[in-house]
Amino acid sequence: QSVLTQPPSVSAAPGQKVTISCSGSSSNIGNHNVSWYQQFPGTAPKLLMYENNKRPSGIPDRFSGSKSGTSATLGITGLQTGDEADYYCGTWDGSLSVSVFGGGTQLTVL
Amino acid sequence: EVQLLESGGGLVQPGGSLRLSCAASGFILSNFAMNWVRQAPGKGLEWVASVSGSGDITSFADSVRGRFSISRDNSKNTLFLQMNSLRVDDTAVYYCARGRKVGLTPWFDFWGQGALVTVSS
């Protein structure tokens, strides 16, 4: 089981908005920034968001991130079929002294 | 352009050893901590190990500590993962990933394409 908890799957129609949650504890999300990664089948993960809400160069502003307490959220607006992928949250766990990831969320654009 | 290219994956018997390499280009390797992250078939991401830019500080996940070692040769722009006493549950795609950090919180801004390690008799 992963230290960070994500819903296994989410879905929404093209053009709509979806949010993906990432729940942790005070030893990880509660005291550390969160990053998000996008992974298409058979390919490497790609950084989507860092320091909770900062987008790397090239990531469209349809993607947004937020954090409150011990949870973080990735938001995607104007959904496209090309957004169908697995999404992972990640952070540092100060009690375990390791980087930790969520179990991943599969996004389906119906 | 930042590029990371893993090599050295393959099929190995339980108890065997394997050494992965990650060739880096497009940036000054010594300026960055580097990491290995693995993904078992159909599973999520698991951080495995990290090494500081100079190579003097390493850390490992509990699942591999004592069996795996991480090192780097900055003069050759290469990261390594030496895997010993391999177990069936080490079977995974192994990614090298460049590390960034603010305070204590790291993230991984560039990833290689991955190297498949299969541990099976």
Side-chain angles (χ1 to χ4, degrees):
Chain A
Q1 278 183 324
S2 303
V3 172
L4 306 179
T5 301
Q6 297 182 234
S9 62
V10 296
S11 62
Q16 296 301 304
K17 175 182 178 179
V18 72
T19 60
I20 298 173
S21 62
C22 175
S23 178
S25 69
S26 59
S27 65
N28 42 66
I29 294 178
N31 281 285
H32 298 281
N33 293 324
V34 175
S35 52
W36 290 90
Y37 305 88
Q38 177 189 58
Q39 185 180 34
F40 296 105
T43 70
K46 174 184 177 181
L47 179 66
L48 205 58
M49 201 75 57
Y50 65 100
E51 291 187 66
N52 305 322
N53 56 14
K54 296 181 180 179
R55 285 176 285 107
S57 173
I59 302 300
D61 58 8
R62 299 189 298 108
F63 294 87
S64 63
S66 64
K67 189 187 95 165
S68 178
T70 58
S71 293
T73 302
L74 176 70
I76 312 173
T77 59
L79 275 172
Q80 303 172 1
T81 55
D83 295 331
E84 286 198 334
D86 293 327
Y87 293 83
Y88 294 88
C89 59
T91 188
W92 176 258
D93 191 293
S95 294
L96 301 173
S97 295
V98 297
S99 290
V100 293
F101 294 97
T105 298
Q106 182 178 53
L107 169 64
T108 301
V109 181
L110 301 168
Chain B
E1 178 190 8
V2 172
Q3 288 192 330
L4 299 169
L5 185 62
E6 300 92 339
S7 60
L11 174 64
V12 61
Q13 292 187 337
S17 298
L18 209 57
R19 189 195 200 199
L20 301 182
S21 300
C22 173
S25 61
F27 66 102
I28 300 173
L29 187 63
S30 59
N31 287 348
F32 296 89
M34 294 297 294
N35 300 265
W36 290 96
V37 178
R38 69 184 179 183
Q39 186 171 35
K43 302 297 184 181
L45 303 173
E46 180 189 15
W47 172 81
V48 172
S50 69
V51 59
S52 61
S54 60
D56 58 343
I57 301 173
T58 60
S59 59
F60 299 91
D62 285 347
S63 58
V64 306
R65 188 175 293 114
R67 300 186 299 122
F68 290 13
S69 63
I70 186 172
S71 61
R72 60 197 295 160
D73 185 337
N74 288 335
S75 67
K76 295 183 178 178
N77 295 317
T78 306
L79 173 73
F80 303 100
L81 183 69
Q82 177 66 43
M83 303 182 290
N84 299 328
S85 303
L86 281 161
R87 309 188 301 221
V88 171
D89 62 359
D90 292 319
T91 296
V93 174
Y94 285 74
Y95 297 101
C96 69
R98 193 174 81 168
R100 304 298 299 273
K101 203 171 190 179
V102 168
L104 288 176
T105 310
W107 68 92
F108 313 104
D109 64 348
F110 286 95
W111 300 62
Q113 90 290 347
L116 176 62
V117 172
T118 303
V119 185
S120 174
S121 54

